[in-house]
């Protein structure tokens, strides 16, 4: 049979229209280069603490290796509910929790739950691209409110946001603390946004994966602290960053009970569930992980402070002090092609940074540096960056 008569095998047009991650585009050619200091991806450099690994091993040995309920192991759903209730200062019931196979999977489930082809999803920019790409894959149009730096801080124009919400998009995605800018929405802004979303019947989707990685206080403000259980609000969270569990692939959602059965269906037809023994280890992470988390944030604060101080002192760099998350996102005067610059920086100077263009409108002209690393390593990376900028 002549297979070429129907053309080359290919994905559907929508999938083909989504571009590759520009961070990967910089990193892929250099993955085997041992000399490079890798600050391009967003993950803590510490390995998962052994008490969490031991809990997973124990669970496996105890035979916790079978299918589990789609919504998650009940004991973990309860542990997450108790943890979130404590953080948010109001009761969050276990029947509102869905354990997912990563924060990214949680985002996909929410998009599948709510977004029809042709819908508009509103979000901010610069932003971690996976949120908008997941929406585009569902056939949505993504409307971006471009943020800007005012008085040394990333700022969201609340009037522009209010106008956009009034046009009734299907959903508004807010990631705070934000990847890549480190911006954190204030409690007062969250109240305004929640009121507007209520008024216009817009779903408010909050990505809170960095809620514990903040450098003043110990928790980012959260809409869940002010929302009612049956508001159109869904929070996305993850085990990845708090407890150095990026490779374990587990996250969770907090959603109104009225959509939980539908989320169970979607979970069943996506991953079925997060892995069983990973869920049992998750209970240990939440229950016993506070001192590890405090250590992690302390280390990150040292990294942030060093990177900020060095970048802010450089004549070609304009930067802001991140309030949370793992990144410095800075503008380089005279750099108009961040992809080419980051590729050269990796190949020639052996520092791996993410190009700002990867994060959408407002990102070009910037670089993102993940400061989750030893200060000595960060210092060497900054030396190399300064040499590159001096050329
Ligand atoms: C803002 C944001 N949300 C969600 C995630 C997803 O995390 P994971 O899929 O590892 O749970 C990330 C990871 O970088 C992120 O930066």
């Amino acid at each position: 049979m002549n297979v070429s008569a129907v053309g080359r095998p290919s994905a559907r047009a929508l999938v083909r229209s989504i571009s590759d991650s520009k961070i990967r585009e910089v990193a892929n050619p250099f993955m085997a280069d041992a000399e490079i200091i890798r600050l391009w991806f967003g993950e803590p450099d510490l390995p998962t603490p052994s008490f969490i690994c031991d809990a997973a091993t124990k669970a496996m040995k105890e035979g916790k290796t079978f299918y589990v309920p789609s919504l998650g192991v009940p004991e973990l759903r309860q542990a997450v509910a108790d943890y979130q209730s404590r953080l948010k200062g109001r009761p969050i019931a276990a029947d509102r929790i869905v354990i997912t196979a990563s924060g990214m999977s949680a985002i996909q489930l929410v998009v599948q739950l709510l977004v029809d082809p042709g819908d508009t999803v509103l979000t901010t920019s610069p932003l971690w691209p996976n949120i908008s790409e997941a929406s585009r894959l569902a056939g949505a149009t993504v409307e971006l409110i471009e943020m800007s730096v005012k008085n040394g801080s990333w700022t969201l124009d609340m009037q522009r946001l209010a106008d956009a919400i009034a046009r009734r998009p299907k959903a508004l995605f807010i990631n705070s603390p934000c990847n890549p800018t480190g911006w954190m929405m204030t409690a007062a802004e969250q109240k305004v946004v929640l009121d507007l979303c209520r008024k216009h019947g817009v779903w408010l989707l909050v990505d809170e994966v960095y809620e514990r990685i903040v450098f003043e206080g110990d928790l980012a403000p959260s809409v869940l602290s002010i929302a009612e259980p049956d508001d159109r609000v869904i929070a996305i969270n993850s085990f990845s960053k708090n407890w150095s569990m990026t490779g374990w692939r587990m996250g969770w959602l907090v959603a109104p009970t009225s959509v939980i059965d539908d989320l169970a269906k979607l979970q069943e037809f996506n991953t079925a569930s997060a892995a069983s023994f990973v869920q049992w280890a998750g209970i240990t992470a939440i229950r016993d992980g506070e001192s590890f988390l405090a250590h992690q944030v302390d280390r990150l604060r040292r990294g942030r402070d060093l990177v900020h101080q060095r970048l802010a002192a450089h004549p070609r760099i304009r930067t802001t002090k991140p309030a949370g998350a793992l990144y410095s996102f800075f503008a380089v005067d005279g750099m108009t092609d961040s992809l080419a610059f980051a590729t050269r920086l990796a190949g020639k100077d052996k520092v791996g940074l993410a190009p700002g263009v990867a994060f959408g409108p407002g990102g070009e002209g910037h670089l993102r540096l993940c400061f989750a690393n030893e200060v000595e390593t960060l210092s060497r990376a900054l030396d190399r960056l300064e040499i590159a900028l001096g050329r």
Side-chain angles (χ1 to χ4, degrees):
M1 188 187 155
N2 181 4
V3 281
S4 66
V6 287
R8 283 181 63 220
S10 64
R12 63 199 170 97
L14 184 60
V15 177
R16 281 186 280 123
S17 74
I18 306 278
S19 36
D20 282 340
S21 155
K22 298 236 171 358
I23 308 173
R24 287 273 174 202
E25 209 171 312
V26 172
N28 280 349
F30 304 106
M31 289 310 276
D33 187 335
E35 270 184 80
I36 292 192
I37 303 178
R38 293 153 201 281
L39 308 177
W40 36 36
F41 301 137
E43 63 182 341
D45 64 319
L46 294 176
T48 309
S50 53
F51 69 91
I52 299 176
C53 299
D54 292 346
T57 311
K58 180 165 174 281
M60 275 189 266
K61 287 193 173 145
E62 285 172 0
K64 303 224 165 74
T65 54
F66 294 96
Y67 287 132
V68 293
S70 311
L71 292 171
V73 168
E75 288 85 342
L76 178 58
R77 292 177 74 202
Q78 189 61 56
V80 170
D82 294 345
Y83 168 73
Q84 288 285 278
S85 304
R86 178 162 59 78
L87 291 186
K88 314 294 179 182
R90 62 188 296 159
I92 292 177
D95 62 0
R96 294 180 60 201
I97 308 292
V98 183
I99 306 300
T100 62
S102 76
M104 188 57 230
S105 176
I107 291 170
Q108 277 290 0
L109 291 178
V110 171
V111 169
Q112 289 174 22
L113 180 78
L114 300 175
V115 179
D116 282 316
D119 279 347
T120 298
V121 171
L122 180 64
T123 188
T124 59
S125 175
L127 188 66
W128 184 59
N130 295 32
I131 288 175
S132 22
E133 296 318 286
S135 306
R136 286 197 184 99
L137 271 172
T141 301
V142 178
E143 183 181 344
L144 297 167
I145 309 264
E146 197 175 316
M147 297 181 62
S148 57
V149 176
K150 293 218 170 74
N151 303 322
S153 303
W154 284 94
T155 307
L156 179 60
D157 182 334
M158 291 299 283
Q159 187 54 54
R160 276 190 62 199
L161 182 67
D163 294 344
I165 295 173
R167 291 194 289 275
R168 297 177 188 267
K170 177 57 71 72
L172 166 65
F173 252 110
I174 294 288
N175 168 223
S176 167
C178 177
N179 173 7
T181 59
W183 165 75
M184 196 155 75
M185 189 174 241
T186 64
E189 288 170 332
Q190 289 181 345
K191 170 143 189 2
V192 172
V193 168
L194 178 62
D195 287 346
L196 286 165
C197 286
R198 278 177 176 157
K199 180 170 166 199
H200 297 290
V202 173
W203 279 91
L204 178 52
L205 314 175
V206 289
D207 178 328
E208 303 191 325
V209 309
Y210 298 106
E211 69 172 342
R212 303 295 305 278
I213 304 192
V214 297
F215 305 115
E216 315 297 335
D218 60 2
L219 184 66
S222 169
V223 169
L224 287 184
S225 300
I226 50 173
E228 297 302 326
D230 55 357
D231 265 315
R232 285 182 177 77
V233 171
I234 300 183
I236 292 142
N237 220 314
S238 170
F239 286 76
S240 284
K241 321 283 174 171
N242 289 356
W243 298 290
S244 278
M245 293 174 71
T246 48
W248 294 62
R249 314 311 298 134
M250 187 161 65
W252 71 84
L253 291 169
V254 183
T257 48
S258 54
V259 297
I260 292 291
D261 288 347
D262 288 318
L263 282 167
K265 275 189 270 173
L266 288 173
Q267 176 106 292
E268 180 60 31
F269 302 134
N270 276 275
T271 56
S273 75
S276 164
F277 50 89
V278 170
Q279 295 199 40
W280 287 98
I283 299 174
T284 301
I286 284 193
R287 195 191 50 212
D288 302 335
E290 284 297 312
S291 60
F292 174 80
L293 178 56
H295 167 64
Q296 175 103 295
V297 175
D298 257 10
R299 234 171 135 260
L300 287 166
R301 187 182 291 105
R302 280 199 294 279
R304 173 199 74 151
D305 288 349
L306 171 92
V307 169
H308 180 70
Q309 191 197 348
R310 293 272 306 263
L311 293 177
H314 195 282
R316 277 187 69 192
I317 290 177
R318 282 169 290 117
T319 190
T320 56
K321 198 165 188 177
L326 312 174
Y327 317 98
S328 280
F329 194 64
F330 55 95
V332 178
D333 287 340
M335 181 188 70
T336 50
D337 183 345
S338 57
L339 189 64
F341 187 93
T343 305
R344 217 168 35 247
L345 196 66
K348 209 168 151 130
D349 303 284
K350 306 294 175 194
V351 185
L353 302 186
V357 69
F359 303 95
E364 186 52 289
H366 292 74
L367 296 167
R368 188 194 73 175
L369 179 157
C370 173
F371 50 69
N373 218 307
E374 296 291 343
V375 284
E376 295 75 21
T377 310
L378 293 170
S379 195
R380 268 191 297 129
L382 290 161
D383 293 344
R384 294 180 188 182
L385 174 65
E386 281 174 11
I387 291 169
L389 288 174
R391 268 199 299 270

